[in-house]
Amino acid sequence: MEPRQGNLKVNFREIARELEISVMTLYRVVNQSPLVGSATRARVTEALNRHGYFVHRKPRRTRVLFDFCDHPYLRRMGEELIRKLPRNEFRCVSSEHRKAREAFLNAAADNDIVVFCSIPDDSVVAAVRSVNPDVYTIAVTTESAADVTVTPNNKQGGELVARHLHSLGHDHIAVFLSETHPTRMERYKSFCGEMAVLNPACRIDVIAHSAGEGMAEACERYFARSGTLPGVIFFPAGGFAQEFQEQLVEKEPERFRQLGIMSYDRPEDLSEHPEELHRFDRIEFVPREILDWAEYYITNRPMMKKRSPIHTCVNSYLVREGSVPNKKEFQNG
């Protein structure tokens, strides 16, 4: 840090009193601390200059690399986060490590912070640290080996699904699952774990969805193999529940009349026209809370001496819409 310069006889306490701020805040401005807001910094700088004290030149902006992938939801979140950061304090650039890995690593070597909105695997995080040992990494919505991850509480969400379906008497449940997607797998595993406690005899089938395969194709293959419909299909990614409704249920309503559908995500996060979507029983979280925490960790870098990972979860909630029938009522009736 550059040494202080200028008229050292300036009385900082008097200036702080004049501005109705603490002396500590004044010293933070002098020492270019990022903890002072831009409006306060401007007032203090003007007062110091007025009293003949030369204030340091404007500090270098923090350089932040946002890494994206072909995921519209994550891209929207990342772009909104970029808009929230003060432009005079942060210089933001973007990359896509899946499409241009070398360019991504070159950018990571030249930035202070890397924010992953791209579902990174551990090898990508390790590669970033190899080219920039001092880099600070943040992953948004997906657990990873980054220094900080901010996610919905997927464990809580999966458990809420199991309790809800168990309370309605369901003992044969299918899960539409992509085993390569870490977030959906986390929700699925916690669902299975909780259901194993509530009802060890519950039958849980997996509708395996492969990359490039249509949702309807994967479901029809499962129905042909299973022979009987489950009582409920749980979709850990809500967009597929909407596709199932449009492509299968609406075409053959009688075939799926007694089938329950359990979904994930708020309708307003799945589409720009949520009023047009079908309302399922679902697990929700508030993306704004994730963005607020991510912004906090960007502007307030935690201590990283030990590289101890920090994982912050935002709460998940159960919303009932009546899309899962109460099997106990049918049995009692």
Side-chain angles (χ1 to χ4, degrees):
M1 181 175 294
E2 299 176 2
R4 295 177 189 158
Q5 305 174 44
N7 180 9
L8 298 183
K9 294 182 180 180
V10 171
N11 191 317
F12 280 14
R13 291 187 181 279
E14 289 184 2
I15 295 176
R17 192 179 303 112
E18 170 192 329
L19 299 175
E20 297 182 343
I21 61 173
S22 68
V23 176
M24 179 61 72
T25 298
L26 192 147
Y27 272 106
R28 283 174 174 164
V29 173
V30 170
N31 291 317
Q32 302 297 337
S33 168
L35 300 178
V36 183
S38 56
T40 300
R41 185 183 305 280
R43 289 176 59 228
V44 172
T45 300
E46 190 276 332
L48 288 171
N49 287 338
R50 192 171 65 249
H51 285 79
Y53 190 94
F54 177 76
V55 183
H56 295 166
R57 62 179 173 82
K58 188 176 180 179
R60 176 180 66 82
R61 289 186 297 172
T62 301
R63 298 165 299 181
V64 187
L65 173 65
F66 281 80
D67 185 57
F68 294 107
C69 64
D70 291 329
H71 196 301
Y73 176 69
L74 290 178
R75 182 173 289 275
R76 287 197 304 271
M77 291 191 73
E79 290 173 347
E80 184 173 349
L81 187 53
I82 290 173
R83 288 192 293 270
K84 286 167 64 70
L85 296 175
R87 292 189 179 182
N88 63 326
E89 297 179 24
F90 296 89
R91 188 203 71 181
C92 299
V93 295
S94 63
S95 66
E96 294 189 42
H97 79 264
R98 288 184 174 82
K99 292 183 177 179
R101 186 179 179 90
E102 184 175 353
F104 159 71
L105 291 176
N106 287 337
D110 192 42
N111 279 267
D112 305 303
I113 302 172
V114 176
V115 180
F116 290 103
C117 301
S118 57
I119 317 175
D121 59 36
D122 292 354
S123 66
V124 173
V125 179
V128 168
R129 289 179 180 152
S130 70
V131 299
N132 187 351
D134 296 324
V135 75
Y136 166 42
T137 54
I138 301 173
V140 178
T141 78
T142 307
E143 280 201 67
S144 72
D147 296 310
V148 171
T149 58
V150 186
T151 72
N153 193 331
N154 294 312
K155 180 178 182 296
Q156 178 189 43
E159 292 173 350
L160 288 172
V161 172
R163 293 169 195 164
H164 179 53
L165 301 185
H166 175 70
S167 72
L168 297 176
H170 289 278
D171 53 8
H172 182 193
I173 302 160
V175 184
F176 188 83
L177 189 64
S178 171
E179 296 183 357
T180 61
H181 196 289
T183 299
R184 298 171 203 168
M185 284 300 296
E186 188 180 4
R187 295 168 180 173
Y188 165 69
K189 289 177 181 178
S190 64
F191 161 73
C192 290
E194 184 69 5
M195 188 59 80
V197 173
L198 298 172
N199 179 12
C202 179
R203 174 180 168 182
I204 300 176
D205 299 339
V206 171
I207 304 176
H209 180 233
S210 303
E213 182 181 34
M215 179 282 310
E217 180 184 354
C219 288
E220 290 292 10
R221 186 178 65 250
Y222 160 73
F223 295 146
R225 184 182 73 250
S226 175
T228 59
L229 287 177
V232 182
I233 298 182
F234 167 37
F235 293 87
F240 290 113
Q242 298 295 331
E243 289 184 18
F244 184 84
Q245 176 71 22
E246 296 167 4
Q247 297 178 21
L248 293 176
V249 176
E250 292 179 3
K251 291 182 178 179
E252 298 184 77
E254 192 60 29
R255 177 188 181 192
F256 299 106
R257 182 171 55 86
Q258 296 184 352
L259 178 68
I261 298 178
M262 184 79 204
S263 182
Y264 228 96
D265 304 315
R266 303 186 308 175
E268 56 264 44
D269 299 322
L270 295 174
S271 170
E272 295 180 355
H273 304 284
E275 69 281 358
E276 299 177 359
L277 298 183
H278 196 82
R279 314 293 285 196
F280 300 114
D281 289 12
R282 62 188 178 274
I283 303 299
E284 290 188 352
F285 58 91
V286 182
R288 169 65 58 184
E289 295 179 4
I290 292 179
L291 290 177
D292 287 345
W293 274 111
E295 180 186 9
Y296 173 82
Y297 283 122
I298 291 173
T299 56
N300 299 274
R301 178 169 178 158
M303 182 180 69
M304 288 291 148
K305 290 182 179 179
K306 301 296 183 182
R307 285 284 184 188
S308 299
I310 297 172
H311 185 189
T312 296
C313 296
V314 303
N315 276 328
S316 298
Y317 309 92
L318 172 66
V319 178
R320 296 176 175 86
E321 297 279 8
S323 66
V324 178
N326 190 332
K327 190 176 178 182
K328 291 181 179 179
E329 291 183 355
F330 293 135
Q331 292 171 342
N332 294 335

